[in-house]
C-alpha cells in the first residue's frame, strides 16, 4: 500500500494574486500601447495621398535620402497652397465657389522653407501671389514642356505646369535648389487646426470679411475648423485689403501654430501628435522625393533643433509694379540681400515691421510701425546695383526695412481693415 505524501501548501497572501493582477494589467497595457502605436504609424502611412512626380531643371528626379535620422546638411522645401474648390467639401458660399479655381487651381499661397546646414536657423519665404516674374519652360507629366514666359503672375505657375513649375520658378527667385515640395488644400488647413485643438491668435481690432464669412471681435481668439480657414484666407478684412497684408496675417497664424505645436503640452501628448500627422498626410499631397516616412522623420528631426527665435518668416522683397498698381515686382535691393544670405547659409535679420496686416502685440496699432534697430553684428544690405560683399558665416544679413516679417516666437496681433 503506497503512502501518500503531501507537500507543504504555499501560504496564501494578497501579494501573489495582486502581483499577478498588476503584471497582467501591465502586460495588457504594454501590448495595447504597442498595438496603438503600430496602428497609428500604419494608419498615418496609409493615409498618404498619391505623390507628385517632381522634376528638376535638368529633367532628373531628385533622390530621397535613404537613411533614418536627422537630415544632414541644408534642407529646402516648397509648400504650395492651392485655391481649388474641387473635392473641398461644402464650406464655400455659392459666390465663393464661383470665384475659386477648379482642377489643380492656382498657388495663391507659396512658401519656401530653408533650413541651414548646421540646423541652427530657418527662413520661411512667402512669395506674393501677385508677383510678376519670368516663368521658365516647365516639364509636363507627358514628357513635353510648357512655353517659357517673360512675365507672368506667380500664382499661375501651378495651373500652368504643376508643382514642378512652381518649384522651378521659385528656385530662380531665391537662388536655392529645392528638392522637396508639397501641395496643401483648404481642407488641410481645417484638419490641422482641428488636430491641434485650435490655434490661439491675437486681434488688435475686430476683423470682418463677408467674402469669407469672418466676423471676429478684438482680443485673444482660438481658431479652429472653417473659422481658421477663413482667417488665413481673408484679404478684404486684413490690413490694407491686399494680398501682402494677408501674407503677414498668415505668418502670424503659422507662428502661433508653430508655438503651440512645439509646446510641452502638445509634444507630450501622443494622441495630438498622431492627429497632427494624420491631418498632414491625409490633406497634403507630397512630391515623390518627400513621400517616404523616413524622409519626413529625418526632416522633422532636423527642424526640431531650431529655436523659435531663429525661425524667421518673411515676405519675398517686392514693390508695386510701375505698369500695374494691382501687381508687384521683385525689389532689387531686398532680393540681393536675401539671395546673399541664402547663398552664404547665414541668418536673415529683419529690420522693418511685421507687415500691413499685423502689429506687435506690445505696440499700439499705427499705419507705419517704427522699424527696429539693426544689430551691429549683422552685415548691411548691398546698395542698389552693387555687388553683394561676402558675408562671414558667423553673422547674419540685414534685410532692407521695407522687407516685412516676424520670428516664430514674436507675439503679433492681426490688424483689421
Amino acid at each position: 500500500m503506497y503512502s501518500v505524501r503531501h507537500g507543504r501548501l504555499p501560504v496564501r497572501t494578497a501579494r501573489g494574486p495582486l502581483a499577478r493582477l498588476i503584471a497582467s494589467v501591465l502586460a495588457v497595457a504594454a501590448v495595447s500601447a504597442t498595438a496603438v502605436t503600430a496602428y497609428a504609424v500604419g494608419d498615418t502611412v496609409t493615409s498618404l495621398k498619391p505623390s507628385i512626380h517632381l522634376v528638376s531643371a535638368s529633367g532628373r528626379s531628385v533622390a530621397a535620402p535613404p537613411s533614418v535620422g536627422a537630415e544632414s546638411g541644408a534642407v529646402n522645401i516648397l509648400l504650395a497652397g492651392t485655391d481649388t474648390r474641387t473635392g473641398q467639401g461644402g464650406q464655400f458660399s455659392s459666390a465663393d465657389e464661383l470665384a475659386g479655381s477648379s482642377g489643380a487651381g492656382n498657388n495663391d499661397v507659396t512658401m519656401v522653407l530653408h533650413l541651414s546646414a548646421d540646423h541652427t536657423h530657418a527662413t520661411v519665404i512667402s512669395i506674393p501671389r501677385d508677383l510678376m516674374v519670368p516663368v521658365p519652360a516647365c516639364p509636363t507629366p507627358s514628357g513635353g514642356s510648357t512655353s517659357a514666359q517673360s512675365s507672368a503672375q506667380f500664382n499661375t505657375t501651378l495651373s500652368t505646369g504643376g508643382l514642378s513649375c512652381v518649384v522651378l520658378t521659385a528656385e530662380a527667385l531665391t537662388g536655392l535648389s529645392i528638392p522637396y515640395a508639397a501641395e496643401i488644400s483648404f481642407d488641410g488647413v481645417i484638419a490641422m487646426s482641428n488636430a491641434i485643438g485650435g490655434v490661439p491668435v491675437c486681434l488688435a481690432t475686430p476683423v470682418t470679411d463677408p467674402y469669407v464669412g469672418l466676423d471676429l471681435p478684438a482680443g485673444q481668439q482660438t481658431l479652429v475648423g472653417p473659422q481658421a480657414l477663413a482667417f488665413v484666407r481673408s484679404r478684404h478684412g486684413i490690413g490694407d485689403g491686399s494680398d501682402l497684408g494677408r501674407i503677414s496675417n498668415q505668418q502670424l497664424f503659422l507662428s502661433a501654430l508653430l508655438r503651440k505645436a512645439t509646446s510641452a503640452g502638445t509634444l507630450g501628448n501622443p494622441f495630438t501628435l498622431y492627429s497632427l500627422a494624420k491631418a498632414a498626410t491625409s490633406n497634403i499631397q507630397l512630391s515623390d522625393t518627400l513621400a517616404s516616412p523616413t524622409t519626413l522623420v529625418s526632416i522633422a528631426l532636423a527642424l526640431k533643433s531650431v529655436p523659435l527665435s531663429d525661425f524667421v518668416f518673411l515676405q519675398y522683397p517686392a514693390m508695386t509694379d510701375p505698369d500695374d498698381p494691382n501687381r508687384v515686382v521683385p525689389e532689387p535691393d531686398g532680393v540681393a540681400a536675401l539671395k546673399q544670405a541664402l547663398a552664404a547659409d547665414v541668418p536673415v535679420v529683419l529690420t522693418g515691421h511685421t507687415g500691413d496686416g499685423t502689429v506687435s502685440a506690445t505696440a499700439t496699432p499705427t499705419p507705419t510701425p517704427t522699424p527696429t534697430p539693426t544689430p551691429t553684428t549683422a552685415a548691411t544690405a548691398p546698395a542698389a546695383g552693387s555687388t553683394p560683399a561676402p558675408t562671414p558665416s558667423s553673422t547674419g544679413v540685414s534685410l532692407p526695412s521695407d522687407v516685412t516679417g516676424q520670428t516664430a516666437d514674436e507675439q503679433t496681433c492681426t490688424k483689421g481693415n
Side-chain angles (χ1 to χ4, degrees):
M1 194 170 182
Y2 296 101
S3 60
V4 178
R5 301 183 63 182
H6 297 281
R8 181 177 294 179
L9 295 175
V11 178
R12 290 185 178 272
T13 64
R15 177 178 297 177
L18 181 60
R20 287 193 294 272
L21 176 62
I22 293 174
S24 299
V25 170
L26 290 176
V28 170
V31 171
S32 298
T34 303
V36 168
T37 302
Y39 169 78
V41 172
D43 188 46
T44 303
V45 171
T46 55
S47 8
L48 284 168
K49 299 170 76 69
S51 62
I52 301 171
H53 181 55
L54 194 65
V55 181
S56 67
S58 61
R60 296 190 301 271
S61 295
V62 185
S67 59
V68 179
E71 174 87 338
S72 60
V75 178
N76 299 316
I77 307 173
L78 179 142
L79 178 64
T82 172
D83 70 348
T84 183
R85 290 352 184 224
T86 302
Q88 298 301 300
Q91 68 262 25
F92 304 109
S93 65
S94 56
D96 195 14
E97 192 78 41
L98 292 173
S101 300
S102 59
N106 296 317
N107 49 305
D108 272 0
V109 177
T110 305
M111 297 181 179
V112 175
L113 165 67
H114 169 68
L115 173 65
S116 64
D118 60 5
H119 302 170
T120 61
H121 64 273
T123 305
V124 181
I125 307 159
S126 294
I127 303 177
R129 52 157 285 172
D130 297 328
L131 189 70
M132 301 302 295
V133 296
V135 176
C138 301
T140 61
S142 61
S145 176
T146 63
S147 300
Q149 303 175 71
S150 59
S151 180
Q153 194 168 316
F154 181 72
N155 77 326
T156 63
T157 51
L158 182 63
S159 58
T160 297
L163 190 59
S164 291
C165 202
V166 183
V167 169
L168 290 174
T169 308
E171 286 181 335
L173 290 173
T174 61
L176 295 171
S177 174
I178 305 174
Y180 305 119
E183 282 182 29
I184 184 170
S185 63
F186 288 132
D187 281 348
V189 177
I190 293 177
M192 294 292 284
S193 66
N194 288 342
I196 206 169
V199 179
V201 298
C202 166
L203 274 64
T205 62
V207 175
T208 302
D209 187 347
Y211 290 89
V212 295
L214 192 64
D215 188 5
L216 297 172
Q220 291 290 331
Q221 306 291 337
T222 298
L223 305 179
V224 66
Q227 192 177 60
L229 172 61
F231 184 76
V232 298
R233 289 186 59 218
S234 179
R235 177 167 61 87
H236 299 280
I238 304 296
D240 59 359
S242 70
D243 178 59
L244 303 185
R246 175 167 55 182
I247 284 177
S248 60
N249 195 51
Q250 291 169 345
Q251 292 174 344
L252 172 150
F253 181 88
L254 289 174
S255 295
L257 176 65
L258 192 58
R259 288 195 297 271
K260 185 166 184 181
T262 55
S263 65
T266 301
L267 291 176
N269 188 329
F271 294 102
T272 301
L273 292 177
Y274 163 62
S275 297
L276 274 170
K278 182 68 181 293
T281 55
S282 300
N283 295 281
I284 296 179
Q285 196 168 9
L286 306 173
S287 64
D288 51 6
T289 54
L290 193 58
S292 164
T294 56
T295 302
L296 293 172
V297 170
S298 296
I299 293 175
L301 289 173
L303 284 167
K304 184 180 178 182
S305 60
V306 180
L308 292 177
S309 58
D310 293 318
F311 223 108
V312 179
F313 292 89
L314 63 92
Q315 177 195 294
Y316 188 82
M319 61 184 185
T320 303
D321 186 344
D323 298 324
D324 186 349
N326 296 316
R327 300 288 179 265
V328 291
V329 293
E331 192 282 308
D333 289 352
V335 171
L338 176 60
K339 284 188 172 182
Q340 178 188 6
L342 295 175
D345 200 25
V346 296
V348 294
V349 179
L350 297 170
T351 65
H353 57 90
T354 60
D356 292 328
T358 56
V359 293
S360 171
T362 58
T364 301
T366 55
T368 309
T370 304
T372 55
T374 302
T376 56
T377 58
T380 56
S386 65
T387 301
T391 304
S393 59
S394 60
T395 62
V397 173
S398 292
L399 301 180
S401 60
D402 56 357
V403 177
T404 61
Q406 69 168 85
T407 58
D409 70 333
E410 188 175 356
Q411 300 285 338
T412 53
C413 297
T414 296
K415 180 175 62 176
N417 189 343

